[in-house]
Amino acid sequence: MEPKFQVQLKIGKPVAEVFDAVVNPDKLTRYFIQSTNGPLVEGVTVRWKFAEVPEAIDVVVREVRPSERIVFEWPAEDGDYRTCVEMTFLAVEDESTLVLIKESGWRPNPTGIEASYGNAGGWMHMMCCMKAYLEFGINLRTGGVCGAETA
């Protein structure tokens, strides 16, 4: 059986604002990644740098449907292949957005299964950080208000 998962979270902001927080590099770096060389645009490859990972990673953007869906591939943590990430943005009552993130493509071995579990938790953490950033202006990764200097 192929390791894969889906996580979801409701964010109390309109879908266009939530979508922009993922594709817009200025916003994405305020709650998720340390740096990037550009926005998520269909057909491009961007580089994401995470504070806790020494090497930047290449993210190959396969599909972008504004305020609806983002699909990209990135390196699997456990090998020399890529997994597929699908983000779906659904407008729900009271001007909120339901964000669903699926990831698939790991090898069906113990290392691939373990890596998929780690990413499931990582994507849930990303969405919680995005929620804190969008709803309250807090960067959970640095523990302070977004844009504030931290020691």
Side-chain angles (χ1 to χ4, degrees):
M1 185 166 92
E2 176 194 0
K4 58 184 176 180
F5 65 83
Q6 176 178 299
V7 293
Q8 63 188 41
L9 185 68
K10 181 180 171 185
I11 297 177
K13 292 292 179 177
V15 70
E17 189 174 339
V18 176
F19 183 87
D20 186 56
V22 177
V23 298
N24 182 326
D26 181 55
K27 293 179 181 173
L28 192 63
T29 57
R30 293 182 176 262
Y31 68 89
F32 183 48
I33 58 176
Q34 185 178 31
S35 65
T36 182
N37 64 342
L40 295 181
V41 176
E42 189 170 318
V44 304
T45 298
V46 296
R47 300 207 82 193
W48 282 356
K49 175 71 179 95
F50 291 88
E52 51 289 328
V53 180
E55 303 277 329
I57 60 167
D58 289 332
V59 176
V60 180
V61 185
R62 298 293 183 202
E63 180 182 352
V64 175
R65 281 191 271 163
S67 296
E68 290 180 22
R69 180 175 157 92
I70 299 167
V71 178
F72 63 84
E73 294 175 2
W74 66 348
E77 189 175 320
D78 69 315
D80 59 349
Y81 62 98
R82 295 184 165 277
T83 60
C84 181
V85 177
E86 300 175 49
M87 298 180 167
T88 304
F89 303 82
L90 303 172
V92 293
E93 75 284 343
D94 69 355
E95 292 293 311
S96 293
T97 303
L98 182 63
V99 181
L100 298 95
I101 300 178
K102 298 178 186 180
E103 191 168 357
S104 61
W106 286 278
R107 294 188 175 138
N109 58 35
T111 306
I113 292 168
E114 185 176 339
S116 73
Y117 288 163
N119 278 27
W123 284 119
M124 197 66 224
H125 183 251
M126 175 271 200
M127 288 193 297
C128 289
C129 290
M130 181 168 53
K131 181 178 182 73
Y133 166 68
L134 290 174
E135 292 182 10
F136 305 103
I138 298 170
N139 184 337
L140 294 178
R141 288 189 172 261
T142 61
V145 176
C146 295
E149 294 294 321
T150 58

